[in-house]
Amino acid sequence: MPRVLLAGATGLIGGLVLARCPDAIPVSRRPIPGRPGVVADFDDLPPLPPAQVAVCALGTTRAKAGSDAAFRAVDHDAVLAFARAAQAAGVTHFILVSSVGANPKSGLLYPRTKGEVEAALAAMAFTRLDILQPGLLIGPRSERRPVERFLQAAAPLMDLALPRHLGSLPAQAVAQAIVTLTQRSEPGVFRHTNRSISVSAATLR
């Protein structure tokens, strides 16, 4: 497996990826017990260790962040700061956990921010860029997200009425797909919705 830098290792997806990639180097604001890594603020990242692949699973919500600006500081600014630092460290393959509905022209903050980040990363000209756009993620979070918890509980019924790409997806499947993608080398920009994420996850089993 190529050497991997991982941002967002304390979150739902990032934590699952970290467990599946024993040699991954976490880049985080606070130490992760038992896992040596880079501990720094994303607005002042030091030079990162050389690596071939970077995985970014950073993300928050407007409610948790407290303001539009604070949300963008994580989901936009920190993501791009990590991408620039990773590229400087020699990374040629970048993997982003984005969201279904990402659109830089959206009138809504969340999908607009995700879409702007996707466009900015594409402009950075990584040899390979994988953008995962999952629907609602199903899995236990360490933080409280009441609305998301309600949607997770309602997901089985909602999925019956939604197109496949808008439905829910187990967080473990997203993490498994990411591990599979770290080993892909075909150049280009690839976007993965629920269906292709599930296919990539299945190839790891």
Side-chain angles (χ1 to χ4, degrees):
M1 177 177 291
R3 198 175 197 192
V4 176
L5 299 172
L6 172 62
T10 59
L12 174 59
I13 298 298
L16 291 169
V17 172
L18 190 64
R20 288 163 170 75
C21 293
D23 296 328
I25 302 169
V27 180
S28 58
R29 293 186 177 89
R30 59 182 185 273
I32 298 175
R35 292 299 294 263
V38 177
V39 180
D41 289 329
F42 284 86
D43 57 1
D44 188 26
L45 283 172
L48 300 180
Q52 294 78 46
V53 182
V55 175
C56 186
L58 291 169
T60 187
T61 63
R62 168 61 176 78
K64 183 184 178 186
S67 68
D68 290 4
F71 168 78
R72 282 185 60 86
V74 176
D75 280 56
H76 182 277
D77 300 348
V79 173
L80 296 184
F82 174 62
R84 289 190 292 269
Q87 198 167 54
V91 166
T92 58
H93 181 185
F94 197 88
I95 301 173
L96 173 71
V97 180
S98 183
S99 174
V100 65
N103 182 351
K105 296 182 179 180
S106 175
L108 301 176
L109 176 66
Y110 188 87
R112 182 174 69 250
T113 301
K114 296 294 188 182
E116 289 172 353
V117 167
E118 291 185 11
L121 288 173
M124 291 181 67
F126 285 98
T127 301
R128 181 181 175 105
L129 173 63
D130 285 291
I131 298 172
L132 284 79
Q133 299 175 321
L136 175 67
L137 296 174
I138 303 298
R141 291 190 184 272
S142 58
E143 62 185 20
R144 288 176 56 86
R145 293 189 179 184
V147 173
E148 186 176 272
R149 185 175 301 176
F150 168 78
L151 291 174
Q152 286 192 11
L157 290 177
M158 294 169 56
D159 287 347
L160 295 176
L162 291 172
R164 180 69 182 90
H165 71 284
L166 295 177
S168 63
L169 193 67
Q172 289 189 5
V174 178
Q176 288 168 349
I178 289 172
V179 174
T180 297
L181 291 171
T182 62
Q183 301 174 56
R184 300 281 172 82
S185 58
E186 302 89 342
V189 177
F190 303 88
R191 286 179 168 81
H192 310 272
T193 57
N194 279 2
R195 184 179 298 279
S196 58
I197 290 171
S198 297
V199 170
S200 294
T203 64
L204 186 67
R205 299 193 182 101

